[in-house]
Amino acid sequence: MEEDLLRASELFERARRLDKEQRMVFDYFYKNVSVGDLRALMELEKLGVRDPQARIDELVEMGLLEKGMDCYNLAKPLREYIFKRGR
């Protein structure tokens, strides 16, 4: 459990250093946790994110998001932290 908390802490620290658009995408998934890929792209575009697929891919590469089956999820350590501790 201590290791999970440490991993979540590292990811939150990484999230603090995101640029404006990356932060918008991260906040969107923080609020929604898991979203279908097409819906996420449409909603992020409506929020003003230019090239949302590129921003999502960047966050996947950083370990902040995960690609599921036809969806994107907040990274598992962050999901677990949220569900255990609350937002």
Side-chain angles (χ1 to χ4, degrees):
M1 179 149 174
E2 195 70 29
E3 187 177 311
D4 294 338
L5 183 59
L6 182 60
R7 180 70 179 137
S9 177
E10 290 169 358
L11 291 173
F12 279 124
E13 184 59 38
R14 193 174 298 166
R16 284 191 249 289
R17 295 188 296 266
L18 297 174
D19 68 30
K20 183 181 175 185
E21 284 200 339
Q22 291 170 330
R23 183 60 187 214
M24 288 173 67
V25 174
F26 179 78
D27 290 345
Y28 171 81
F29 280 97
Y30 185 79
K31 290 174 188 163
N32 296 291
V33 182
S34 181
V35 183
D37 51 8
L38 297 177
R39 178 176 294 276
L41 294 174
M42 290 186 322
E43 290 182 350
L44 288 167
E45 201 168 84
K46 285 181 185 176
L47 291 173
V49 176
R50 294 170 306 195
D51 197 0
Q53 184 64 63
R55 299 298 149 263
I56 289 171
D57 292 344
E58 291 166 359
L59 297 188
V60 168
E61 230 176 89
M62 291 178 196
L64 296 169
L65 299 179
E66 299 169 347
K67 173 74 173 131
M69 281 191 108
D70 300 325
C71 68
Y72 290 99
N73 308 302
L74 195 61
K76 185 176 180 182
L78 298 176
R79 290 192 316 263
E80 290 176 350
Y81 177 84
I82 288 169
F83 294 131
K84 286 179 186 172
R85 306 260 184 195
R87 292 177 198 266

